[in-house]
Amino acid sequence: MRYKVTFVSGVALGYVLGSRAGRERYEQMKKCVRGVAQNPAVRNAAETAGQQGRHFAGRAFTVVGDRVGDVLPASVTDRVRVLRGRANGAVGHDDDWGTSNT
């Protein structure tokens, strides 16, 4: 699915950049894309996909951490524990890189 979306996006971009259809056609396509992006069904599908992606990434993070936790140096293991603690409900705290979850 990702490849189809990328392909369609590339075709649309190529058409817009290479087209001699003029400003009218560009505005028409822009309006159509905006309408699709603001469609509640599309927005719900995107939100659901994002939530599922975060869920599966969290599960993969846990599985990988459990399997390689004994092999990693103590400093990395400690960092993973800190990140897990933040992921389990400590929202709004700044991390070591100067960014926050707020």
Side-chain angles (χ1 to χ4, degrees), residues 15 65 84:
Y15 179 79
R84 279 187 183 171

Side-chain angles (χ1 to χ4, degrees), residues 15-32:
Y15 179 79
V16 169
L17 294 176
S19 175
R20 293 189 178 163
R23 185 74 176 176
E24 280 180 34
R25 183 67 178 146
Y26 169 75
E27 292 296 333
Q28 183 183 15
M29 288 173 48
K30 190 169 124 179
K31 183 179 176 182
C32 180

Side-chain angles (χ1 to χ4, degrees), residues 28-102:
Q28 183 183 15
M29 288 173 48
K30 190 169 124 179
K31 183 179 176 182
C32 180
V33 168
R34 185 175 291 136
V36 169
Q38 292 177 351
N39 185 339
V42 172
R43 296 181 84 156
N44 289 340
E47 180 63 28
T48 301
Q51 287 176 352
Q52 287 179 345
R54 287 187 292 276
H55 172 73
F56 289 124
R59 286 180 48 195
F61 178 75
T62 302
V63 170
V64 170
D66 291 343
R67 290 188 182 172
V68 298
D70 298 333
V71 180
L72 296 174
S75 61
V76 175
T77 305
D78 292 341
R79 181 70 181 155
V80 169
R81 278 196 201 106
V82 168
L83 291 174
R84 279 187 183 171
R86 289 184 184 164
N88 290 333
V91 177
H93 298 287
D94 289 338
D95 60 18
D96 295 340
W97 296 293
T99 59
S100 67
N101 292 334
T102 58

